[in-house]
PDB file of all heavy atoms in Angstrom:
ATOM      1  N   GLU A 136      55.973-197.626 -47.218  1.00  0.00           N
ATOM      2  CA  GLU A 136      56.611-197.216 -45.969  1.00  0.00           C
ATOM      3  C   GLU A 136      58.013-196.681 -46.225  1.00  0.00           C
ATOM      4  O   GLU A 136      58.402-195.629 -45.692  1.00  0.00           O
ATOM      5  CB  GLU A 136      56.685-198.399 -44.992  1.00  0.00           C
ATOM      6  CG  GLU A 136      55.369-198.772 -44.345  1.00  0.00           C
ATOM      7  CD  GLU A 136      54.507-199.657 -45.225  1.00  0.00           C
ATOM      8  OE1 GLU A 136      54.976-200.020 -46.319  1.00  0.00           O
ATOM      9  OE2 GLU A 136      53.376-199.977 -44.834  1.00  0.00           O
ATOM     10  N   ALA A 137      58.764-197.428 -47.072  1.00  0.00           N
ATOM     11  CA  ALA A 137      60.130-196.995 -47.339  1.00  0.00           C
ATOM     12  C   ALA A 137      60.138-195.659 -48.069  1.00  0.00           C
ATOM     13  O   ALA A 137      60.986-194.798 -47.814  1.00  0.00           O
ATOM     14  CB  ALA A 137      60.863-198.048 -48.156  1.00  0.00           C
ATOM     15  N   LEU A 138      59.154-195.474 -48.981  1.00  0.00           N
ATOM     16  CA  LEU A 138      59.095-194.220 -49.727  1.00  0.00           C
ATOM     17  C   LEU A 138      58.835-193.049 -48.772  1.00  0.00           C
ATOM     18  O   LEU A 138      59.513-192.014 -48.836  1.00  0.00           O
ATOM     19  CB  LEU A 138      57.981-194.296 -50.772  1.00  0.00           C
ATOM     20  CG  LEU A 138      57.816-193.035 -51.634  1.00  0.00           C
ATOM     21  CD1 LEU A 138      59.050-192.813 -52.476  1.00  0.00           C
ATOM     22  CD2 LEU A 138      56.597-193.128 -52.498  1.00  0.00           C
ATOM     23  N   LEU A 139      57.866-193.247 -47.849  1.00  0.00           N
ATOM     24  CA  LEU A 139      57.553-192.157 -46.906  1.00  0.00           C
ATOM     25  C   LEU A 139      58.725-191.876 -45.973  1.00  0.00           C
ATOM     26  O   LEU A 139      59.023-190.713 -45.671  1.00  0.00           O
ATOM     27  CB  LEU A 139      56.308-192.517 -46.086  1.00  0.00           C
ATOM     28  CG  LEU A 139      55.000-192.302 -46.830  1.00  0.00           C
ATOM     29  CD1 LEU A 139      53.831-192.700 -45.947  1.00  0.00           C
ATOM     30  CD2 LEU A 139      54.853-190.859 -47.257  1.00  0.00           C
ATOM     31  N   TYR A 140      59.401-192.961 -45.532  1.00  0.00           N
ATOM     32  CA  TYR A 140      60.555-192.770 -44.658  1.00  0.00           C
ATOM     33  C   TYR A 140      61.639-191.976 -45.386  1.00  0.00           C
ATOM     34  O   TYR A 140      62.248-191.061 -44.831  1.00  0.00           O
ATOM     35  CB  TYR A 140      61.096-194.120 -44.191  1.00  0.00           C
ATOM     36  CG  TYR A 140      62.181-193.979 -43.161  1.00  0.00           C
ATOM     37  CD1 TYR A 140      61.868-193.813 -41.826  1.00  0.00           C
ATOM     38  CD2 TYR A 140      63.522-193.989 -43.526  1.00  0.00           C
ATOM     39  CE1 TYR A 140      62.854-193.658 -40.878  1.00  0.00           C
ATOM     40  CE2 TYR A 140      64.516-193.837 -42.588  1.00  0.00           C
ATOM     41  CZ  TYR A 140      64.172-193.671 -41.266  1.00  0.00           C
ATOM     42  OH  TYR A 140      65.148-193.507 -40.334  1.00  0.00           O
ATOM     43  N   GLY A 141      61.858-192.333 -46.660  1.00  0.00           N
ATOM     44  CA  GLY A 141      62.853-191.613 -47.457  1.00  0.00           C
ATOM     45  C   GLY A 141      62.492-190.150 -47.586  1.00  0.00           C
ATOM     46  O   GLY A 141      63.350-189.267 -47.456  1.00  0.00           O
ATOM     47  N   MET A 142      61.194-189.866 -47.815  1.00  0.00           N
ATOM     48  CA  MET A 142      60.794-188.464 -47.947  1.00  0.00           C
ATOM     49  C   MET A 142      61.003-187.705 -46.641  1.00  0.00           C
ATOM     50  O   MET A 142      61.434-186.546 -46.642  1.00  0.00           O
ATOM     51  CB  MET A 142      59.332-188.366 -48.392  1.00  0.00           C
ATOM     52  CG  MET A 142      59.155-188.652 -49.865  1.00  0.00           C
ATOM     53  SD  MET A 142      57.432-188.704 -50.347  1.00  0.00           S
ATOM     54  CE  MET A 142      57.033-186.993 -50.269  1.00  0.00           C
ATOM     55  N   ALA A 143      60.693-188.378 -45.500  1.00  0.00           N
ATOM     56  CA  ALA A 143      60.876-187.713 -44.206  1.00  0.00           C
ATOM     57  C   ALA A 143      62.351-187.407 -43.974  1.00  0.00           C
ATOM     58  O   ALA A 143      62.712-186.292 -43.563  1.00  0.00           O
ATOM     59  CB  ALA A 143      60.329-188.602 -43.088  1.00  0.00           C
ATOM     60  N   ALA A 144      63.219-188.398 -44.271  1.00  0.00           N
ATOM     61  CA  ALA A 144      64.652-188.176 -44.061  1.00  0.00           C
ATOM     62  C   ALA A 144      65.149-187.052 -44.963  1.00  0.00           C
ATOM     63  O   ALA A 144      65.941-186.193 -44.545  1.00  0.00           O
ATOM     64  CB  ALA A 144      65.427-189.459 -44.328  1.00  0.00           C
ATOM     65  N   ALA A 145      64.667-187.045 -46.222  1.00  0.00           N
ATOM     66  CA  ALA A 145      65.090-186.007 -47.156  1.00  0.00           C
ATOM     67  C   ALA A 145      64.635-184.644 -46.668  1.00  0.00           C
ATOM     68  O   ALA A 145      65.389-183.659 -46.732  1.00  0.00           O
ATOM     69  CB  ALA A 145      64.518-186.286 -48.542  1.00  0.00           C
ATOM     70  N   ALA A 146      63.397-184.566 -46.125  1.00  0.00           N
ATOM     71  CA  ALA A 146      62.909-183.278 -45.616  1.00  0.00           C
ATOM     72  C   ALA A 146      63.764-182.820 -44.451  1.00  0.00           C
ATOM     73  O   ALA A 146      64.098-181.628 -44.340  1.00  0.00           O
ATOM     74  CB  ALA A 146      61.449-183.401 -45.187  1.00  0.00           C
ATOM     75  N   ALA A 147      64.166-183.771 -43.585  1.00  0.00           N
ATOM     76  CA  ALA A 147      65.003-183.403 -42.441  1.00  0.00           C
ATOM     77  C   ALA A 147      66.318-182.807 -42.921  1.00  0.00           C
ATOM     78  O   ALA A 147      66.746-181.742 -42.454  1.00  0.00           O
ATOM     79  CB  ALA A 147      65.256-184.623 -41.561  1.00  0.00           C
ATOM     80  N   VAL A 148      66.969-183.479 -43.902  1.00  0.00           N
ATOM     81  CA  VAL A 148      68.278-183.009 -44.366  1.00  0.00           C
ATOM     82  C   VAL A 148      68.149-181.666 -45.079  1.00  0.00           C
ATOM     83  O   VAL A 148      68.895-180.716 -44.801  1.00  0.00           O
ATOM     84  CB  VAL A 148      68.913-184.071 -45.295  1.00  0.00           C
ATOM     85  CG1 VAL A 148      70.143-183.497 -45.970  1.00  0.00           C
ATOM     86  CG2 VAL A 148      69.278-185.306 -44.507  1.00  0.00           C
ATOM     87  N   VAL A 149      67.168-181.567 -45.995  1.00  0.00           N
ATOM     88  CA  VAL A 149      67.070-180.346 -46.801  1.00  0.00           C
ATOM     89  C   VAL A 149      66.678-179.156 -45.930  1.00  0.00           C
ATOM     90  O   VAL A 149      67.215-178.053 -46.084  1.00  0.00           O
ATOM     91  CB  VAL A 149      66.073-180.555 -47.962  1.00  0.00           C
ATOM     92  CG1 VAL A 149      65.797-179.239 -48.671  1.00  0.00           C
ATOM     93  CG2 VAL A 149      66.636-181.553 -48.945  1.00  0.00           C
ATOM     94  N   SER A 150      65.766-179.385 -44.965  1.00  0.00           N
ATOM     95  CA  SER A 150      65.387-178.243 -44.120  1.00  0.00           C
ATOM     96  C   SER A 150      66.578-177.812 -43.265  1.00  0.00           C
ATOM     97  O   SER A 150      66.802-176.613 -43.072  1.00  0.00           O
ATOM     98  CB  SER A 150      64.183-178.583 -43.256  1.00  0.00           C
ATOM     99  OG  SER A 150      64.535-179.468 -42.238  1.00  0.00           O
ATOM    100  N   ALA A 151      67.374-178.779 -42.778  1.00  0.00           N
ATOM    101  CA  ALA A 151      68.555-178.397 -42.003  1.00  0.00           C
ATOM    102  C   ALA A 151      69.516-177.600 -42.869  1.00  0.00           C
ATOM    103  O   ALA A 151      70.112-176.613 -42.410  1.00  0.00           O
ATOM    104  CB  ALA A 151      69.243-179.627 -41.442  1.00  0.00           C
ATOM    105  N   LEU A 152      69.663-178.007 -44.137  1.00  0.00           N
ATOM    106  CA  LEU A 152      70.565-177.251 -45.016  1.00  0.00           C
ATOM    107  C   LEU A 152      70.075-175.826 -45.216  1.00  0.00           C
ATOM    108  O   LEU A 152      70.854-174.881 -45.201  1.00  0.00           O
ATOM    109  CB  LEU A 152      70.691-177.957 -46.375  1.00  0.00           C
ATOM    110  CG  LEU A 152      71.538-179.218 -46.365  1.00  0.00           C
ATOM    111  CD1 LEU A 152      71.525-179.871 -47.723  1.00  0.00           C
ATOM    112  CD2 LEU A 152      72.965-178.878 -45.982  1.00  0.00           C
ATOM    113  N   TYR A 153      68.753-175.678 -45.387  1.00  0.00           N
ATOM    114  CA  TYR A 153      68.199-174.314 -45.518  1.00  0.00           C
ATOM    115  C   TYR A 153      68.440-173.506 -44.250  1.00  0.00           C
ATOM    116  O   TYR A 153      68.850-172.353 -44.302  1.00  0.00           O
ATOM    117  CB  TYR A 153      66.698-174.365 -45.806  1.00  0.00           C
ATOM    118  CG  TYR A 153      66.357-174.322 -47.280  1.00  0.00           C
ATOM    119  CD1 TYR A 153      65.851-175.432 -47.927  1.00  0.00           C
ATOM    120  CD2 TYR A 153      66.545-173.162 -48.012  1.00  0.00           C
ATOM    121  CE1 TYR A 153      65.542-175.400 -49.269  1.00  0.00           C
ATOM    122  CE2 TYR A 153      66.238-173.117 -49.349  1.00  0.00           C
ATOM    123  CZ  TYR A 153      65.731-174.234 -49.978  1.00  0.00           C
ATOM    124  OH  TYR A 153      65.443-174.190 -51.293  1.00  0.00           O
TER     125      TYR A 153
END
Side-chain angles (χ1 to χ4, degrees):
Chain A
E136 286 82 3
L138 180 64
L139 281 179
Y140 187 84
M142 283 174 73
V148 170
V149 171
S150 72
L152 286 177
Y153 266 110

